[in-house]
Amino acid sequence: MTINTLSQDGVQRQQMSCLTKMERMVISMQDPDMGIKLRNQRLLITVIPHAMTGADIVEWLIKKCSISDEEALHIGQIFVKYGYIYPLKEPRNLILKVDDSPYRFQMPYYWMSTRWPASELDYAIYLAKKNIRKQGELIEYEKECYNALHKRINHTWDFVVMQAREQLRASKQRRKADRIVLKCQEQAYWLVNRPPVSAELYKLITLTKNTLAMLIQCSLNAKCAIKYIYVKYCEQYQPHDPIMQGCLPSIPWITDDIMFWNMNCETVAVPTKLRVERWSFSFMELLNDPMGRKEFLTYLKKEFSAENLCFWQACEDVRHGETSKIPEKVDEVYKQFLTPGASRWVNIDSKTMEKTLEGLKRPHRFVLDDAQMHIYFLMKKDSYPRYLKSDLYKNLFARAIVPQETKKR
Amino acid sequence: MGKDECKTMLDALNKVTACYRHLVIALGSTSDSQNLREELKKTRKKAQELAVANRTKLTALLKDKSISKDDRAEYERLWVLFTSSMELLDVDMKRSLEIGQDFPLKVPTRHLIQTGMTGSTTTVAARAMSVQNMKYEADANIDTVDLKELETEIAQVDQMMEEMEMKVQVAPWAVEAKQEAGAELKSTVSVGNSSVGVISICEEEPKETVEGETGLMKVFAGIIFTVVLLIAGILGYLVINL
């Protein structure tokens, strides 16, 4: 079933109020006494009634609304533009001429409607009908639309062909005058709702499309640093992606086996190889994993720089914690880490220290940001690379296990 | 066989949908009348009967697990045809309700839009109902009474479509149409029949009325010329002989 927005929304969508006003005016134009004077349109043997001239329309508008010539012409143009009235002599030229060029009213079914917008399926059926009638001689723009629709709604194309044929057969049942009127009306409806693009504009559009395609091709060939970074990232993380690579022992959602989560939880004795490998991708990965953080802390204790990580953790706590506890937390941090001679004094440069001490007078969530950032980069540049080269890390990596794949039940 | 039956039923539904659309287009214009409203009602009921029959048949066929892959693909294609038909019918029914409410017939100052269409739609309705002539037996206030029925019918159709969506698991985008672009230029008779005959579907409409007129004028001129020649010939013969 296609996603049919009409069946749910069609009743709730409102008709635009300007369109409702135009509809009311068109209905008042039909008044036999006060409405527009209608004449017959004479084709060679057929006579079709209910035609009016542009001059008649403008005259009626002037009389009915008591407005000037210019305004009446403008309003008349709007009626033609929105398809309530269509020209008979030059159907593709949707303008109102104040002379004896003939116009006719459009069927209520074909009135512009925000509740029932013109659908692609209907357009496809119309083009198919036109194709049959003209034996394949559609204009350039219509041919393009036809091919595009054939690709887009290909799954209902059989229906389009069947329905086009049946609709033509049904219209054959009417007499000739009505058939001509029907054809003109449908054509006018689609000229309003799918206006054709002029030949020059069309050439311009195809030219633009081609140049764009060429540019994209060029940029793909050029050495684009961003592209490489992205590709590197994807390659690095691919073995870690359960969707791309699968996960060992097994995906819990499929096999109902929660070993995967158990093996990767915080307090496990021996981590998995993939997990340990991931810590080497970036410093943030190490810090995000609680076990990684613990291991790093152990290493830093050996190096006598554990206070850095503790400070960083305390700052994170201030940033993400409760607002009411911020002043006391900040105070704690100051006492433990920032006071000269504190037990866990952190080495921050003097400028940042001054700024932080200044900010401590009025503590808020982000007052320790600068200091935290300083310590973070210190750890990242200094301790982190050394940790990755350390025996602690290498031993852990050697000890790490690769879980065995469990069979699906 | 199940498939052929399905295809004939789908053809019938397709025909009724096309005719119904044709009738709905005429609503609110000068070809609107009591008769049109009755034709709409009858066509609608026929469409619904066909829809229910199609649905039962297709769901039964699709539920069957023992069919081959090709068969299943074919049934899914027929299912997409059926749902597209139902969507068109649904939209047309809702629009006919809207337009029917906006243009009641039994009002003293009725202002139907004068669109140039003045003929009746009896033949279209007769085609939809597959009868020779339509019989009209409704009472005078059909336009208001029918609208209430129409509302209930629309609700029924909506419900049916929802059920269909829920119960039948067919991915419409996965269906491949059998017809290629431009297939309508070769004519075939129905869904199943793939004979490529050159049956003309519609007579040559004049591409623009001006062109048609000049063509006709040429024909007339030719006829008049030959008639004049004949008369001259006969007169000459008589003159010579007398």
Side-chain angles (χ1 to χ4, degrees):
Chain A
M1 186 85 94
T2 49
I3 299 169
N4 193 349
T5 49
L6 287 179
S7 57
Q8 280 105 33
D9 289 7
V11 188
Q12 283 129 25
R13 264 193 222 150
Q14 289 301 317
Q15 177 78 314
M16 263 165 78
S17 58
C18 59
L19 295 177
T20 329
K21 286 182 194 160
M22 285 167 75
E23 284 171 17
R24 275 208 294 265
M25 264 201 115
V26 171
I27 293 177
S28 67
M29 286 183 196
Q30 311 301 319
D31 194 318
D33 310 312
M34 304 285 289
I36 297 189
K37 198 167 62 163
L38 295 171
R39 310 141 201 265
N40 290 338
Q41 181 197 17
R42 212 160 259 286
L43 305 169
L44 193 64
I45 19 173
T46 31
V47 174
I48 308 179
H50 306 150
M52 52 202 166
T53 62
D56 283 341
I57 299 174
V58 173
E59 199 191 306
W60 184 87
L61 280 169
I62 294 175
K63 213 166 55 166
K64 168 94 178 172
C65 312
S66 319
I67 47 179
S68 64
D69 276 0
E70 268 183 77
E71 207 180 331
L73 179 62
H74 177 72
I75 293 182
Q77 298 278 20
I78 295 178
F79 274 110
V80 177
K81 187 174 133 192
Y82 280 89
Y84 289 94
I85 295 175
Y86 62 96
L88 299 173
K89 268 274 159 60
E90 287 169 35
R92 296 188 183 275
N93 205 2
L94 291 175
I95 54 172
L96 181 68
K97 292 195 207 147
V98 194
D99 50 17
D100 57 355
S101 28
Y103 293 85
R104 193 172 273 136
F105 290 113
Q106 179 66 284
M107 300 289 248
Y109 187 85
Y110 285 138
W111 282 350
M112 165 116 357
S113 171
T114 39
R115 282 171 93 180
W116 308 106
S119 78
E120 292 210 323
L121 188 60
D122 287 334
Y123 192 42
I125 296 175
Y126 166 67
L127 285 176
K129 279 201 282 192
K130 200 158 182 194
N131 210 13
I132 298 176
R133 257 193 272 124
K134 299 219 166 167
Q135 297 291 307
E137 295 297 315
L138 294 175
I139 61 176
E140 194 60 47
Y141 172 74
E142 284 174 351
K143 270 207 190 102
E144 286 286 327
C145 287
Y146 182 85
N147 293 330
L149 279 168
H150 176 71
K151 248 201 281 180
R152 237 182 294 155
I153 53 169
N154 186 269
H155 57 281
T156 52
W157 200 256
D158 287 344
F159 177 70
V160 167
V161 172
M162 271 169 66
Q163 188 60 210
R165 290 185 181 139
E166 275 303 330
Q167 284 189 12
L168 279 175
R169 285 188 194 126
S171 69
K172 261 183 86 179
Q173 303 295 322
R174 308 210 53 181
R175 42 171 235 200
K176 185 157 176 125
D178 288 345
R179 249 183 288 154
I180 296 176
V181 173
L182 261 175
K183 187 176 82 86
C184 293
Q185 282 171 342
E186 212 183 351
Q187 186 186 39
Y189 176 69
W190 288 111
L191 280 171
V192 169
N193 282 287
R194 295 280 190 272
V197 177
S198 74
E200 294 82 22
L201 187 58
Y202 192 70
K203 273 192 215 133
L204 186 63
I205 289 173
T206 39
L207 190 66
T208 331
K209 265 197 232 170
N210 289 340
T211 43
L212 267 175
M214 242 172 46
L215 280 171
I216 289 171
Q217 218 25 59
C218 285
S219 70
L220 282 177
N221 293 339
K223 305 279 177 195
C224 185
I226 299 169
K227 181 186 101 177
Y228 278 152
I229 290 171
Y230 186 64
V231 168
K232 185 162 165 273
Y233 176 88
C234 289
E235 280 173 354
Q236 198 178 41
Y237 276 87
Q238 197 195 354
H240 297 262
D241 191 337
I243 295 176
M244 301 299 283
Q245 203 79 356
C247 77
L248 304 167
S250 60
I251 298 179
W253 304 111
I254 295 178
T255 56
D256 285 337
D257 176 22
I258 58 170
M259 274 262 281
F260 175 69
W261 290 326
N262 287 341
M263 289 176 104
N264 282 304
C265 73
E266 271 184 51
T267 54
V268 76
V270 185
T272 53
K273 263 214 166 40
L274 276 178
R275 191 178 178 182
V276 180
E277 191 188 6
R278 207 163 166 167
W279 299 342
S280 66
F281 289 168
S282 76
F283 189 39
M284 213 57 218
E285 286 282 354
L286 177 66
L287 289 180
N288 280 337
D289 191 351
M291 192 180 186
R293 225 187 273 189
K294 217 169 60 175
E295 290 292 316
F296 193 53
L297 190 64
T298 327
Y299 173 73
L300 287 179
K301 278 195 181 129
K302 289 216 181 102
E303 300 253 312
F304 302 107
S305 41
E307 63 273 2
N308 288 337
L309 189 57
C310 295
F311 177 67
W312 184 86
Q313 268 182 241
C315 291
E316 281 288 288
D317 194 30
V318 169
R319 269 176 67 148
H320 299 296
E322 274 185 49
T323 317
S324 55
K325 298 217 176 92
I326 287 179
E328 54 182 78
K329 280 191 189 162
V330 168
D331 211 31
E332 267 298 309
V333 165
Y334 175 69
K335 281 205 202 97
Q336 275 195 6
F337 298 100
L338 297 174
T339 331
S343 56
R344 300 203 257 174
W345 187 77
V346 285
N347 195 357
I348 309 177
D349 67 304
S350 51
K351 213 168 86 180
T352 322
M353 183 66 100
E354 254 180 63
K355 204 164 156 210
T356 314
L357 290 175
E358 203 42 55
L360 284 182
K361 294 191 183 127
R362 256 177 292 210
H364 58 88
R365 196 177 286 274
F366 305 107
V367 70
L368 295 166
D369 265 11
D370 291 327
Q372 185 189 17
M373 189 103 64
H374 181 90
I375 295 293
Y376 175 82
F377 280 118
L378 191 68
M379 285 196 288
K380 183 172 169 185
K381 269 193 288 187
D382 190 28
S383 317
Y384 176 62
R386 277 189 286 132
Y387 169 67
L388 290 181
K389 294 195 193 108
S390 71
D391 288 330
L392 201 63
Y393 179 73
K394 289 194 178 135
N395 287 338
L396 187 61
F397 191 75
R399 268 193 302 133
I401 50 174
V402 179
Q404 275 206 329
E405 192 181 349
T406 51
K407 303 275 188 307
K408 269 194 212 156
R409 263 191 234 152
Chain B
M1 217 206 3
K3 231 190 272 188
D4 288 333
E5 229 184 279
C6 256
K7 285 173 185 170
T8 21
M9 287 210 295
L10 268 173
D11 277 341
L13 179 62
N14 187 43
K15 183 173 80 169
V16 176
T17 312
C19 293
Y20 188 66
R21 165 155 289 196
H22 203 90
L23 294 172
V24 174
I25 289 177
L27 262 179
S29 71
T30 33
S31 45
D32 197 354
S33 64
Q34 294 283 101
N35 289 347
L36 177 66
R37 304 288 171 117
E38 200 181 330
E39 286 160 13
L40 276 169
K41 178 171 160 180
K42 292 194 168 149
T43 320
R44 202 175 67 222
K45 293 225 187 302
K46 176 107 194 242
Q48 275 193 296
E49 284 168 35
L50 280 170
V52 171
N54 264 301
R55 185 199 63 167
T56 349
K57 189 92 189 129
L58 274 172
T59 40
L61 283 171
L62 282 170
K63 278 217 167 89
D64 189 5
K65 302 268 184 196
S66 62
I67 47 178
S68 68
K69 226 170 153 192
D70 291 332
D71 271 349
R72 190 164 177 97
E74 179 63 15
Y75 291 144
E76 287 188 359
R77 187 185 76 94
L78 293 178
W79 181 258
V80 169
L81 282 172
F82 174 56
T83 46
S84 315
S85 219
M86 284 314 293
E87 279 173 24
L88 270 194
L89 258 179
D90 188 43
V91 169
D92 280 339
M93 276 167 71
K94 289 182 173 145
R95 292 206 74 174
S96 77
L97 177 67
E98 203 187 316
I99 303 178
Q101 281 169 339
D102 287 338
F103 292 95
L105 293 174
K106 289 287 169 209
V107 192
T109 52
R110 93 179 185 186
H111 291 152
L112 295 174
I113 309 295
Q114 289 156 68
T115 52
M117 296 245 283
T118 43
S120 80
T121 43
T122 329
T123 36
V124 179
R127 183 185 165 81
M129 307 294 294
S130 313
V131 292
Q132 280 286 76
N133 295 309
M134 290 288 290
K135 293 201 195 69
Y136 296 100
E137 53 220 3
D139 1 301
N141 59 348
I142 182 172
D143 50 335
T144 38
V145 166
D146 188 38
L147 289 177
K148 293 200 184 56
E149 273 187 47
L150 179 51
E151 278 186 47
T152 41
E153 282 178 31
I154 289 174
Q156 279 176 6
V157 167
D158 279 342
Q159 203 194 13
M160 182 165 102
M161 282 174 54
E162 251 190 77
E163 274 180 32
M164 276 165 35
E165 214 174 328
M166 291 294 136
K167 291 202 180 140
V168 179
Q169 307 289 339
V170 172
W173 49 87
V175 169
E176 273 183 44
K178 270 192 183 155
Q179 314 269 24
E180 307 146 1
E184 61 271 8
L185 292 173
K186 315 181 200 98
S187 59
T188 65
V189 182
S190 76
V191 178
N193 225 334
S194 56
S195 62
V196 183
V198 192
I199 308 163
S200 71
I201 297 220
C202 61
E203 60 187 33
E204 269 303 325
E205 296 254 9
K207 288 193 184 151
E208 288 197 51
T209 46
V210 179
E211 279 183 31
E213 282 182 29
T214 52
L216 270 162
M217 279 186 77
K218 277 191 198 144
V219 168
F220 270 138
I223 292 173
I224 290 168
F225 185 62
T226 35
V227 165
V228 165
L229 259 179
L230 262 173
I231 293 174
I234 293 170
L235 278 173
Y237 180 70
L238 287 171
V239 162
I240 290 173
N241 276 350
L242 285 177

